[in-house]
Amino acid sequence: MNRKYLRIKCREAIMKCLFIKHVHLNNILKRAREENIEICGFLVGRDEGEKVFVDYIVFEKNILKSSHEFEIDPLETLKVLESAEKKNKDIVGIFHSHVNFPPYPSQKDLKGMKAWRNVWLIVNNLGQYAAFILKDGGVERIEVKLE
Ligand SMILES: [Zn+2]
Protein backbone atom coordinates (compact mmCIF):
# COMPACT_ATOMS: atom_id res chain seq x y z
CA MET A 1 0.00 0.00 0.00
CA ASN A 2 1.34 3.37 -1.00
CA ARG A 3 0.71 5.29 2.15
CA LYS A 4 3.17 7.73 3.54
CA TYR A 5 3.46 8.36 7.22
CA LEU A 6 5.40 11.18 8.66
CA ARG A 7 8.69 10.08 10.02
CA ILE A 8 8.76 12.57 12.77
CA LYS A 9 9.90 12.15 16.26
CA CYS A 10 6.98 13.50 18.18
CA ARG A 11 8.17 15.57 21.04
CA GLU A 12 6.02 15.25 24.10
CA ALA A 13 4.47 18.61 24.72
CA ILE A 14 4.42 19.14 28.43
CA MET A 15 2.23 22.17 28.22
CA LYS A 16 -0.81 20.90 26.40
CA CYS A 17 -3.07 18.13 27.53
CA LEU A 18 -6.33 16.67 26.23
CA PHE A 19 -8.89 15.68 28.85
CA ILE A 20 -11.47 13.23 27.59
CA LYS A 21 -13.91 11.03 29.42
CA HIS A 22 -13.52 7.25 29.33
CA VAL A 23 -16.97 6.84 27.86
CA HIS A 24 -16.23 9.18 24.97
CA LEU A 25 -12.91 7.62 24.09
CA ASN A 26 -14.41 4.15 24.40
CA ASN A 27 -17.23 5.09 22.03
CA ILE A 28 -14.74 6.31 19.46
CA LEU A 29 -12.57 3.18 19.83
CA LYS A 30 -15.63 0.93 19.62
CA ARG A 31 -16.82 2.57 16.41
CA ALA A 32 -13.29 2.37 14.98
CA ARG A 33 -13.25 -1.38 15.66
CA GLU A 34 -16.65 -1.93 14.07
CA GLU A 35 -16.08 -0.03 10.83
CA ASN A 36 -13.81 -0.96 7.96
CA ILE A 37 -13.56 2.67 6.87
CA GLU A 38 -12.05 5.59 8.74
CA ILE A 39 -14.49 7.01 11.23
CA CYS A 40 -14.43 10.67 12.13
CA GLY A 41 -16.02 13.46 14.11
CA PHE A 42 -15.55 16.38 16.41
CA LEU A 43 -14.46 16.94 19.99
CA VAL A 44 -16.49 19.76 21.48
CA GLY A 45 -15.62 21.49 24.71
CA ARG A 46 -13.35 24.17 26.10
CA ASP A 47 -9.83 25.05 25.11
CA GLU A 48 -8.15 26.62 28.09
CA GLY A 49 -4.73 26.82 26.53
CA GLU A 50 -2.74 24.22 28.38
CA LYS A 51 -5.79 22.12 29.07
CA VAL A 52 -8.29 21.11 26.45
CA PHE A 53 -11.50 19.63 27.82
CA VAL A 54 -13.87 17.49 25.79
CA ASP A 55 -17.46 17.89 26.94
CA TYR A 56 -19.07 15.86 24.18
CA ILE A 57 -18.25 14.19 20.90
CA VAL A 58 -20.08 14.28 17.59
CA PHE A 59 -19.69 11.46 15.08
CA GLU A 60 -19.70 12.53 11.46
CA LYS A 61 -20.01 10.61 8.21
CA ASN A 62 -16.79 10.00 6.35
CA ILE A 63 -18.06 11.19 2.99
CA LEU A 64 -15.13 9.48 1.24
CA LYS A 65 -16.15 6.10 2.72
CA SER A 66 -12.47 5.23 2.58
CA SER A 67 -10.26 3.01 4.70
CA HIS A 68 -7.29 5.35 4.31
CA GLU A 69 -8.65 8.89 4.34
CA PHE A 70 -11.59 10.86 5.60
CA GLU A 71 -13.51 14.00 4.88
CA ILE A 72 -16.38 15.67 6.68
CA ASP A 73 -19.17 17.55 4.90
CA PRO A 74 -18.48 21.28 5.51
CA LEU A 75 -22.20 21.87 6.11
CA GLU A 76 -22.18 19.30 8.89
CA THR A 77 -19.13 21.03 10.34
CA LEU A 78 -21.04 24.29 10.38
CA LYS A 79 -23.95 22.66 12.20
CA VAL A 80 -21.66 21.32 14.90
CA LEU A 81 -19.98 24.70 15.23
CA GLU A 82 -23.28 26.56 15.54
CA SER A 83 -24.68 24.11 18.03
CA ALA A 84 -21.48 24.30 20.08
CA GLU A 85 -21.55 28.09 20.11
CA LYS A 86 -25.11 28.07 21.44
CA LYS A 87 -23.80 26.09 24.39
CA ASN A 88 -20.86 28.44 24.79
CA LYS A 89 -18.47 25.77 23.63
CA ASP A 90 -16.13 25.29 20.74
CA ILE A 91 -14.86 22.59 18.46
CA VAL A 92 -11.62 21.82 20.29
CA GLY A 93 -10.56 18.90 18.20
CA ILE A 94 -11.12 16.45 15.40
CA PHE A 95 -10.96 12.71 15.75
CA HIS A 96 -10.61 10.02 13.13
CA SER A 97 -9.46 6.46 12.90
CA HIS A 98 -6.87 4.55 10.95
CA VAL A 99 -7.57 1.06 9.75
CA ASN A 100 -4.69 -1.30 10.51
CA PHE A 101 -2.23 1.56 10.78
CA PRO A 102 -0.69 3.29 13.77
CA PRO A 103 -2.54 6.32 15.14
CA TYR A 104 -0.05 8.84 13.77
CA PRO A 105 -0.75 11.64 11.29
CA SER A 106 -0.49 10.82 7.59
CA GLN A 107 0.67 13.35 5.00
CA LYS A 108 -2.96 14.14 4.30
CA ASP A 109 -3.66 14.54 8.00
CA LEU A 110 -0.86 17.09 8.17
CA LYS A 111 -2.57 19.15 5.49
CA GLY A 112 -5.78 18.94 7.47
CA MET A 113 -3.96 19.95 10.62
CA LYS A 114 -2.78 23.10 8.89
CA ALA A 115 -6.38 23.98 8.12
CA TRP A 116 -7.78 22.87 11.47
CA ARG A 117 -5.33 24.03 14.06
CA ASN A 118 -6.80 22.30 17.03
CA VAL A 119 -6.24 18.93 18.64
CA TRP A 120 -6.17 15.90 16.37
CA LEU A 121 -7.10 12.72 18.15
CA ILE A 122 -6.26 9.67 16.08
CA VAL A 123 -7.31 6.16 17.02
CA ASN A 124 -7.17 2.87 15.21
CA ASN A 125 -9.21 -0.30 15.00
CA LEU A 126 -6.70 -2.01 17.31
CA GLY A 127 -7.57 0.19 20.26
CA GLN A 128 -4.59 2.52 20.06
CA TYR A 129 -4.90 6.28 20.30
CA ALA A 130 -2.79 9.43 20.37
CA ALA A 131 -3.37 13.16 20.15
CA PHE A 132 -1.42 15.78 18.27
CA ILE A 133 -1.23 19.48 17.62
CA LEU A 134 0.64 21.50 15.07
CA LYS A 135 3.18 23.71 16.75
CA ASP A 136 5.90 25.83 15.20
CA GLY A 137 5.34 24.05 11.90
CA GLY A 138 5.85 20.62 13.40
CA VAL A 139 3.60 17.91 14.72
CA GLU A 140 3.71 17.58 18.46
CA ARG A 141 2.19 14.76 20.43
CA ILE A 142 0.21 15.82 23.45
CA GLU A 143 -0.85 13.93 26.49
CA VAL A 144 -4.30 12.36 26.68
CA LYS A 145 -5.78 12.24 30.15
CA LEU A 146 -8.79 10.06 30.79
CA GLU A 147 -11.39 11.44 33.15
ZN1 LIG B 1 -5.34 9.92 9.38
Side-chain angles (χ1 to χ4, degrees), residues 3 5 38 68-70 96-98 102-110 120 122-123:
R3 245 190 113 175
Y5 278 90
E38 289 196 3
H68 59 275
E69 56 184 340
F70 79 99
H96 76 284
S97 69
H98 287 166
Y104 295 106
S106 65
Q107 291 288 358
K108 191 181 174 188
D109 291 337
L110 182 63
W120 278 58
I122 307 179
V123 307

Short mmCIF file of all heavy atoms in Angstrom, two decimals, residues 3 5 38 68-70 96-98 102-110 120 122-123, ligand 1:
data_model
loop_
_atom_site.label_atom_id
_atom_site.label_comp_id
_atom_site.label_asym_id
_atom_site.label_seq_id
_atom_site.Cartn_x
_atom_site.Cartn_y
_atom_site.Cartn_z
N ARG A 3 1.16 4.31 1.17
CA ARG A 3 0.71 5.29 2.15
C ARG A 3 1.88 5.84 2.90
O ARG A 3 2.65 5.10 3.48
CB ARG A 3 -0.21 4.60 3.15
CG ARG A 3 -1.60 5.14 3.07
CD ARG A 3 -2.37 4.61 4.21
NE ARG A 3 -2.69 5.71 5.10
CZ ARG A 3 -3.45 5.55 6.17
NH1 ARG A 3 -3.91 4.37 6.48
NH2 ARG A 3 -3.74 6.55 6.92
N TYR A 5 3.61 7.82 5.88
CA TYR A 5 3.46 8.36 7.22
C TYR A 5 4.62 9.26 7.53
O TYR A 5 5.71 9.08 7.01
CB TYR A 5 3.36 7.24 8.26
CG TYR A 5 1.98 6.73 8.32
CD1 TYR A 5 1.59 5.68 7.51
CD2 TYR A 5 1.04 7.36 9.10
CE1 TYR A 5 0.29 5.25 7.51
CE2 TYR A 5 -0.25 6.95 9.10
CZ TYR A 5 -0.63 5.89 8.31
OH TYR A 5 -1.93 5.49 8.30
N GLU A 38 -12.45 4.65 7.68
CA GLU A 38 -12.05 5.59 8.74
C GLU A 38 -13.30 6.27 9.30
O GLU A 38 -14.13 6.75 8.55
CB GLU A 38 -11.07 6.64 8.18
CG GLU A 38 -9.71 6.09 7.86
CD GLU A 38 -8.64 7.17 7.68
OE1 GLU A 38 -8.93 8.36 7.85
OE2 GLU A 38 -7.50 6.79 7.35
N HIS A 68 -8.57 4.68 4.10
CA HIS A 68 -7.29 5.35 4.31
C HIS A 68 -7.35 6.87 4.27
O HIS A 68 -6.30 7.51 4.28
CB HIS A 68 -6.25 4.81 3.33
CG HIS A 68 -6.63 4.99 1.90
ND1 HIS A 68 -7.42 4.11 1.24
CD2 HIS A 68 -6.34 5.98 1.04
CE1 HIS A 68 -7.59 4.53 0.00
NE2 HIS A 68 -6.96 5.67 -0.14
N GLU A 69 -8.53 7.43 4.19
CA GLU A 69 -8.65 8.89 4.34
C GLU A 69 -10.07 9.23 4.75
O GLU A 69 -10.97 8.38 4.68
CB GLU A 69 -8.26 9.63 3.05
CG GLU A 69 -9.05 9.20 1.85
CD GLU A 69 -8.58 9.86 0.56
OE1 GLU A 69 -7.93 10.91 0.62
OE2 GLU A 69 -8.89 9.34 -0.51
N PHE A 70 -10.24 10.46 5.21
CA PHE A 70 -11.59 10.86 5.60
C PHE A 70 -11.85 12.31 5.23
O PHE A 70 -10.91 13.10 5.03
CB PHE A 70 -11.79 10.69 7.11
CG PHE A 70 -11.18 11.79 7.94
CD1 PHE A 70 -11.97 12.83 8.43
CD2 PHE A 70 -9.83 11.79 8.23
CE1 PHE A 70 -11.41 13.86 9.19
CE2 PHE A 70 -9.26 12.82 8.98
CZ PHE A 70 -10.05 13.85 9.46
N HIS A 96 -10.36 10.97 14.22
CA HIS A 96 -10.61 10.02 13.13
C HIS A 96 -9.82 8.76 13.41
O HIS A 96 -8.98 8.73 14.31
CB HIS A 96 -10.29 10.62 11.77
CG HIS A 96 -8.83 10.74 11.43
ND1 HIS A 96 -8.01 11.70 11.97
CD2 HIS A 96 -8.04 9.99 10.62
CE1 HIS A 96 -6.79 11.56 11.48
NE2 HIS A 96 -6.77 10.51 10.66
N SER A 97 -10.13 7.73 12.65
CA SER A 97 -9.46 6.46 12.90
C SER A 97 -8.59 6.06 11.72
O SER A 97 -8.79 6.53 10.60
CB SER A 97 -10.50 5.35 13.15
OG SER A 97 -11.20 5.06 11.95
N HIS A 98 -7.64 5.20 12.00
CA HIS A 98 -6.87 4.55 10.95
C HIS A 98 -7.20 3.07 10.98
O HIS A 98 -7.43 2.51 12.05
CB HIS A 98 -5.37 4.76 11.17
CG HIS A 98 -4.91 6.15 10.87
ND1 HIS A 98 -3.68 6.63 11.27
CD2 HIS A 98 -5.53 7.17 10.21
CE1 HIS A 98 -3.56 7.89 10.85
NE2 HIS A 98 -4.67 8.24 10.22
N PRO A 102 -0.88 2.62 12.47
CA PRO A 102 -0.69 3.29 13.77
C PRO A 102 -1.44 4.62 13.82
O PRO A 102 -1.69 5.23 12.77
CB PRO A 102 0.82 3.54 13.83
CG PRO A 102 1.42 2.68 12.79
CD PRO A 102 0.38 2.49 11.73
N PRO A 103 -1.78 5.06 15.00
CA PRO A 103 -2.54 6.32 15.14
C PRO A 103 -1.64 7.55 15.06
O PRO A 103 -1.59 8.35 15.98
CB PRO A 103 -3.20 6.18 16.51
CG PRO A 103 -2.25 5.34 17.29
CD PRO A 103 -1.58 4.40 16.31
N TYR A 104 -0.91 7.68 13.98
CA TYR A 104 -0.05 8.84 13.77
C TYR A 104 -0.47 9.56 12.50
O TYR A 104 -0.97 8.92 11.58
CB TYR A 104 1.41 8.42 13.69
CG TYR A 104 1.90 7.85 14.99
CD1 TYR A 104 2.11 6.49 15.13
CD2 TYR A 104 2.11 8.68 16.09
CE1 TYR A 104 2.51 5.96 16.34
CE2 TYR A 104 2.52 8.14 17.30
CZ TYR A 104 2.72 6.78 17.42
OH TYR A 104 3.12 6.26 18.62
N PRO A 105 -0.26 10.87 12.44
CA PRO A 105 -0.75 11.64 11.29
C PRO A 105 -0.13 11.19 9.97
O PRO A 105 1.08 10.95 9.89
CB PRO A 105 -0.32 13.07 11.61
CG PRO A 105 -0.08 13.11 13.07
CD PRO A 105 0.38 11.74 13.44
N SER A 106 -0.96 11.09 8.94
CA SER A 106 -0.49 10.82 7.59
C SER A 106 -0.16 12.16 6.93
O SER A 106 -0.43 13.22 7.50
CB SER A 106 -1.58 10.11 6.80
OG SER A 106 -2.69 10.98 6.63
N GLN A 107 0.38 12.11 5.73
CA GLN A 107 0.67 13.35 5.00
C GLN A 107 -0.61 14.15 4.81
O GLN A 107 -0.62 15.37 4.93
CB GLN A 107 1.27 13.03 3.63
CG GLN A 107 2.67 12.45 3.68
CD GLN A 107 3.73 13.49 4.06
OE1 GLN A 107 3.43 14.67 4.25
NE2 GLN A 107 4.97 13.05 4.21
N LYS A 108 -1.69 13.44 4.50
CA LYS A 108 -2.96 14.14 4.30
C LYS A 108 -3.46 14.75 5.61
O LYS A 108 -4.00 15.84 5.62
CB LYS A 108 -4.00 13.19 3.71
CG LYS A 108 -5.21 13.97 3.26
CD LYS A 108 -6.32 13.16 2.67
CE LYS A 108 -7.50 14.11 2.40
NZ LYS A 108 -8.71 13.42 2.00
N ASP A 109 -3.26 14.00 6.69
CA ASP A 109 -3.66 14.54 8.00
C ASP A 109 -2.93 15.85 8.29
O ASP A 109 -3.50 16.79 8.84
CB ASP A 109 -3.37 13.54 9.12
CG ASP A 109 -4.27 12.32 9.03
OD1 ASP A 109 -5.36 12.43 8.43
OD2 ASP A 109 -3.89 11.27 9.56
N LEU A 110 -1.66 15.89 7.92
CA LEU A 110 -0.86 17.09 8.17
C LEU A 110 -1.46 18.30 7.46
O LEU A 110 -1.54 19.39 8.01
CB LEU A 110 0.59 16.87 7.74
CG LEU A 110 1.55 18.04 8.01
CD1 LEU A 110 1.67 18.33 9.49
CD2 LEU A 110 2.92 17.76 7.42
N TRP A 120 -5.81 17.03 17.24
CA TRP A 120 -6.17 15.90 16.37
C TRP A 120 -6.00 14.61 17.18
O TRP A 120 -4.88 14.23 17.53
CB TRP A 120 -5.29 15.89 15.12
CG TRP A 120 -5.81 16.83 14.07
CD1 TRP A 120 -6.01 18.18 14.22
CD2 TRP A 120 -6.22 16.51 12.74
NE1 TRP A 120 -6.53 18.70 13.06
CE2 TRP A 120 -6.66 17.70 12.13
CE3 TRP A 120 -6.25 15.31 12.00
CZ2 TRP A 120 -7.14 17.75 10.82
CZ3 TRP A 120 -6.72 15.36 10.69
CH2 TRP A 120 -7.16 16.56 10.13
N ILE A 122 -6.23 10.76 17.06
CA ILE A 122 -6.26 9.67 16.08
C ILE A 122 -6.31 8.34 16.83
O ILE A 122 -5.57 8.14 17.80
CB ILE A 122 -5.02 9.73 15.15
CG1 ILE A 122 -4.90 11.12 14.52
CG2 ILE A 122 -5.13 8.67 14.04
CD1 ILE A 122 -3.70 11.29 13.60
N VAL A 123 -7.21 7.49 16.40
CA VAL A 123 -7.31 6.16 17.02
C VAL A 123 -7.13 5.14 15.90
O VAL A 123 -7.03 5.49 14.73
CB VAL A 123 -8.69 5.96 17.71
CG1 VAL A 123 -8.98 7.08 18.69
CG2 VAL A 123 -9.81 5.83 16.69
ZN ZN B 1 -5.34 9.92 9.38
#
